[in-house]
Amino acid sequence: MPRTGHIALAGAPNVGKSSLLNALVGAHLAIVSPKAQATRLPVVGLRTEGDTQFVFHDLPGLLEPAYLMQARMRAMAVEALGRMDLILHLHPAPDAPAPSFAEVAGLTSVPSAQVLTVYTKADLVAEGRREELAPAGLVVSASTGDGVELLLSRVREGLPERDFAYDPEDVGTQELRFFVVEYLREAAFELLGDELPYSFNAEVEEFREAERPVYIRVTLFVERESQKGIVIGRGGRTIGALGAHARARVEALLGLPVYLDSWVKVLPNWRRNPAALTRFGFPEPNPVAAAARPPGQESS
Ligand SMILES: Nc1nc2c(ncn2[C@@H]2O[C@H](COP(=O)(O)OP(=O)(O)O)[C@@H](O)[C@H]2O)c(=O)[nH]1
Ligand SMILES: [Mg+2]
């Protein structure tokens, strides 16, 4: 009987969730940044090996929301946790030991799925320390691949016997449009300084997959007029670099040449605007998920 199930990569911001997802599936699906909270929406990665199909969910960092987008991000992550067969609680090995998952995630009730502690960034600690940590959790490095095989075998044991839900050849489940936006945001985190990436978003307006090169037209969004010039850059240099980064990643995923056409628009305060958030894929939480939010936290 085949085995398959849903596995969360969860934890605080910046612990290496997205890097581990990419290492587990062998493709750059989830965007990675040294800046916190690059991941906003869950990214699903598949790995199929023999009789096992792993469905990994890279969830946004479980932080206290400071404004509406973060409140919706959190609600989606908490809601996703309720659907998992197994939860991997990621915590950086240099900061071991990990606190309890419920504490980190600010959950009032313990999730029903089993939680395994995974110590990440193992390459940043000495071998002796890795051996000390091994009894308390799985010790992995997304950078070197160390511990990944052992992690997979432990995860496999926790998955139910069930038929595969996805094509064994697939690495992802989300549409290409989603990844176009993600890769543009990844470039923004890399190229646009410390604050602007958080005001940045993108939307695919047109996608002509039958054309060669594949034609993709995107709108880039910022929150203030003053940010528009920064995104465009002198002589269009910055917007060109953003597009080049995203185009290379999309081409790698699609295996086809891509032409990316980008325009910038101001959408004032979109991160606090319910309609804009819904349009960008952050739906209003359903009442059950909202109730799971820790008490005393309000969206502003
Ligand atoms: N040295 C090292 N750095 C890592 C590793 N995994 C992630 N990082 C770095 O940690 C930062 C946050 O990683 P990311 O995957 O975006 O974390 P997330 O916010 O939990 O998704 C990035 O700068 C990564 O390059 C690892 O295994 N070793
Ligand atoms: Mg991430």
Side-chain angles (χ1 to χ4, degrees):
M1 185 71 187
R3 283 180 191 233
T4 182
H6 297 275
I7 307 118
L9 305 182
N14 239 2
V15 297
K17 300 178 293 294
S18 298
S19 301
L20 187 60
L21 178 92
N22 295 343
L24 288 164
V25 305
H28 193 93
L29 290 187
I31 69 172
V32 170
S33 171
K35 293 166 193 162
Q37 297 161 52
T39 306
R40 288 177 182 159
L41 293 166
V43 181
V44 182
L46 305 173
R47 176 172 179 139
T48 307
E49 240 171 19
D51 67 350
T52 310
Q53 183 163 74
F54 302 89
V55 186
F56 292 106
H57 298 252
D58 172 19
L59 301 180
L62 290 154
L63 71 164
E64 280 201 19
Y67 49 90
L68 189 60
M69 181 183 77
Q70 292 187 341
R72 290 193 177 184
M73 277 165 51
R74 183 182 163 87
M76 289 172 88
V78 170
E79 188 265 335
L81 284 176
R83 288 185 280 111
M84 295 295 132
D85 295 292
L86 192 63
I87 295 169
L88 302 181
H89 172 204
L90 274 55
H91 188 84
D95 308 332
S100 83
F101 179 64
E103 198 181 317
V104 171
L107 299 173
T108 42
S109 59
V110 180
S112 56
Q114 187 196 352
V115 179
L116 285 180
T117 303
V118 176
Y119 288 111
T120 55
K121 311 191 189 185
D123 54 290
L124 297 181
V125 299
E127 198 183 332
R129 183 66 180 141
R130 292 202 287 275
E131 281 162 14
E132 272 168 30
L133 289 175
L138 288 133
V139 187
V140 303
S141 166
S143 297
T144 65
D146 254 21
V148 167
E149 285 302 324
L150 185 62
L151 173 64
L152 286 166
S153 67
R154 283 294 307 280
V155 167
R156 186 186 177 280
E157 292 166 18
L159 297 182
E161 292 190 338
R162 201 190 274 156
D163 285 325
F164 292 176
Y166 301 100
D167 186 328
E169 298 298 316
D170 288 352
V171 290
T173 67
Q174 287 150 302
E175 24 175 54
L176 213 58
R177 288 168 176 262
F178 172 76
F179 294 103
V180 173
V181 172
E182 290 299 284
Y183 297 149
L184 285 162
R185 294 202 312 102
E186 182 172 54
F189 273 97
E190 216 167 291
L191 301 169
L192 298 180
D194 287 340
E195 298 302 324
L196 212 161
Y198 297 100
S199 291
F200 180 94
N201 209 351
E203 189 169 54
V204 175
E205 307 283 356
E206 210 179 330
F207 200 127
R208 299 205 296 261
E209 216 173 332
E211 269 178 40
R212 293 297 174 270
V214 170
Y215 177 84
I216 306 174
R217 187 164 53 87
V218 296
T219 303
L220 310 181
F221 292 99
V222 289
E223 293 188 297
R224 291 190 297 279
E225 197 59 43
S226 61
Q227 296 173 327
K228 213 170 141 174
I230 301 172
V231 168
I232 295 168
R234 269 181 83 176
R237 206 175 290 171
T238 307
I239 196 170
L242 291 165
H245 173 99
R247 182 170 50 81
R249 290 245 194 261
V250 176
E251 285 179 341
L253 202 60
L254 193 61
L256 290 171
V258 166
Y259 181 86
L260 194 68
D261 204 3
S262 3
W263 303 85
V264 191
K265 270 190 198 161
V266 179
L267 190 54
N269 278 320
W270 65 263
R271 285 182 294 168
R272 294 163 198 269
N273 176 330
L277 288 168
T278 301
R279 157 178 165 194
F280 289 144
F282 305 87
E284 198 177 328
N286 67 48
V288 178
R293 198 183 303 151
Q297 289 186 6
E298 282 171 23
S299 50
S300 52

